[in-house]
Amino acid sequence: MEYNKSKKEIRIDKELNELDKFVIEFLEISRKFTDYVIVSGYVSILLGRSRASEDIDLLIPKINKESFTNLWEALQLNSFECLNTSNINEAFKMLDEHAIRFAKELPIPNIEFKTIKTDFDKYSFDNKLKVILKTDVLFISPLEAQIAYKLFLGSEKDLEDAKHLYEVFKEKLNKDELFKFINRFNVYEKFALMEEYGNKYKFRTR
Amino acid sequence: MATNTNLELDEWKKKNFMERLSFVKYWAEYIKNIDDKKWGAAQKLLIDSQFQMSRRFYNKFAETKEGRDKIKELKKSIANK
């Protein structure tokens, strides 16, 4: 895995798993109608974390009814269903208030699809990183913001995701940026705990 | 007595979390030092097997009306999360 910080690019030469393929299939349809950035748990998984996920969080800019209708129809044509409602008008209205979920065949995993609402969402979207896979390109939230946000969410799983990103990229992270977000979310104690706990046990190196 | 048990449980949870975070660090170091293809294959094995299990589960449920109703309920509960 190669992170080119100035180009805001990460290159990964891995064979895609079923979760990656599911995300790419959805994005191949949705990107014709809207831009996006991937946030939260799947970012860590895409970048090597060894766990599965129930949902993939996508942030999109505010979308108009016509584009949403086209997107909805294209998703349906490709057997994606909205888990919240089968009514397009209801789904469009819901999107103003909360995330809506799309699944294909199985209800898990599903795509949690939501519009940008906060300054932090907008920052993640405007500063997204490009992840270049063998045959696809995906856009993810900047790592520093992602780590701090995961610490803010605060469950054990979230702290593990934050730890993974921090350890894999720590030599290349912008520390000022990271601590700016850590202060903003007031999660310094969690950051310290993540460091302390993660150094407690040693594993055999090969 | 109950308090002691709770304390032991808290201590156990803390230790368990420490072990997991330490393993996350170990795994991160591991993938930094090997070819993407190698860690990707391990990750694929884990994730794909969970997909297969879940597919088997839904296919089994879809065989009966009761099962199909349960899937509907599950979808509703996921949507309302």
Side-chain angles (χ1 to χ4, degrees):
Chain A
M1 190 151 38
E2 246 181 74
Y3 179 24
N4 185 326
K5 210 166 146 182
S6 56
K7 281 180 152 178
K8 290 184 159 185
E9 279 180 9
I10 299 173
R11 276 181 192 276
I12 310 176
D13 184 27
K14 68 165 180 173
E15 193 184 340
L16 302 180
N17 58 57
E18 290 221 37
L19 189 61
D20 298 323
K21 288 178 190 165
F22 171 72
V23 175
I24 288 166
E25 188 183 358
F26 184 90
L27 290 174
E28 270 174 1
I29 301 164
S30 72
R31 66 166 60 114
K32 292 175 195 149
F33 309 100
T34 180
D35 284 337
Y36 73 91
V37 62
I38 300 168
V39 297
S40 216
Y42 179 66
V43 172
S44 304
I45 297 169
L46 179 66
L47 302 178
R49 176 117 152 76
S50 60
R51 73 168 180 90
S53 180
E54 292 180 0
D55 46 31
I56 294 91
D57 299 74
L58 286 193
L59 281 176
I60 59 157
K62 199 166 169 49
I63 187 169
N64 63 36
K65 184 71 187 290
E66 190 189 346
S67 300
F68 184 74
T69 304
N70 292 335
L71 167 65
W72 179 273
E73 284 168 0
L75 287 171
Q76 292 216 317
L77 266 178
N78 288 278
S79 307
F80 280 93
E81 63 168 328
C82 178
L83 297 179
N84 302 78
T85 175
S86 55
N87 181 309
I88 184 172
N89 294 320
E90 267 180 28
F92 185 65
K93 204 170 158 225
M94 281 175 184
L95 198 54
D96 248 355
E97 292 153 25
H98 57 80
I100 56 174
R101 291 169 188 265
F102 291 96
K104 181 172 181 168
E105 190 191 349
L106 310 171
I108 294 172
N110 56 72
I111 303 282
E112 198 179 322
F113 196 73
K114 53 193 162 193
T115 50
I116 292 168
K117 292 202 170 57
T118 65
D119 288 351
F120 182 70
D121 291 345
K122 189 165 175 357
Y123 176 90
S124 298
F125 181 79
D126 291 342
N127 294 280
K128 53 186 173 281
L129 303 179
K130 190 189 251 189
V131 176
I132 303 169
L133 301 163
K134 263 187 210 160
T135 53
D136 301 276
V137 170
L138 305 179
F139 292 97
I140 62 166
S141 163
L143 301 170
E144 294 82 358
Q146 194 55 222
I147 291 168
Y149 183 62
K150 276 284 176 181
L151 293 172
F152 170 72
L153 290 177
S155 74
E156 292 189 355
K157 184 179 72 179
D158 293 316
L159 264 65
E160 288 165 22
D161 284 348
K163 180 76 175 164
H164 175 80
L165 293 178
Y166 181 73
E167 291 297 334
V168 173
F169 296 100
K170 65 182 168 191
E171 290 84 8
K172 291 199 171 173
L173 291 174
N174 178 336
K175 296 287 177 353
D176 290 342
E177 198 73 359
L178 174 63
F179 283 99
K180 188 183 89 185
F181 283 112
I182 284 177
N183 287 331
R184 178 175 167 176
F185 287 120
N186 198 16
V187 288
Y188 185 76
E189 278 181 21
K190 282 183 187 159
F191 176 77
L193 183 127
M194 174 189 94
E195 279 291 81
E196 185 202 331
Y197 278 22
N199 288 327
K200 208 76 187 171
Y201 295 98
K202 301 278 173 255
F203 291 86
R204 184 169 62 89
T205 48
R206 291 153 307 121
Chain B
M1 189 64 188
T3 312
N4 276 347
T5 311
N6 286 344
L7 281 175
E8 278 169 20
L9 195 62
D10 285 348
E11 198 49 44
W12 180 85
K13 277 186 188 166
K14 185 177 161 184
K15 194 173 168 239
N16 185 257
F17 185 40
M18 283 175 174
E19 282 171 3
R20 289 214 316 275
L21 270 179
S22 300
F23 182 77
V24 169
K25 183 178 177 180
Y26 165 79
W27 175 256
E29 285 301 323
Y30 175 71
I31 71 166
K32 276 163 84 171
N33 293 303
I34 57 162
D35 196 289
D36 292 350
K37 288 187 184 81
K38 209 166 169 186
W39 67 256
Q43 192 193 45
K44 183 173 165 54
L45 196 67
L46 174 85
I47 291 175
D48 289 2
S49 64
Q50 290 188 347
F51 263 74
Q52 279 160 22
M53 268 171 56
S54 138
R55 214 167 262 140
R56 223 174 287 155
F57 169 83
Y58 288 110
N59 288 343
K60 189 83 194 150
F61 265 63
E63 284 172 6
T64 64
K65 185 181 175 313
E66 202 188 351
R68 287 192 291 275
D69 288 345
K70 285 217 167 89
I71 293 175
K72 264 187 208 159
E73 271 173 41
L74 179 65
K75 284 183 178 175
K76 213 181 279 174
S77 80
I78 291 169
N80 292 327
K81 258 209 305 194

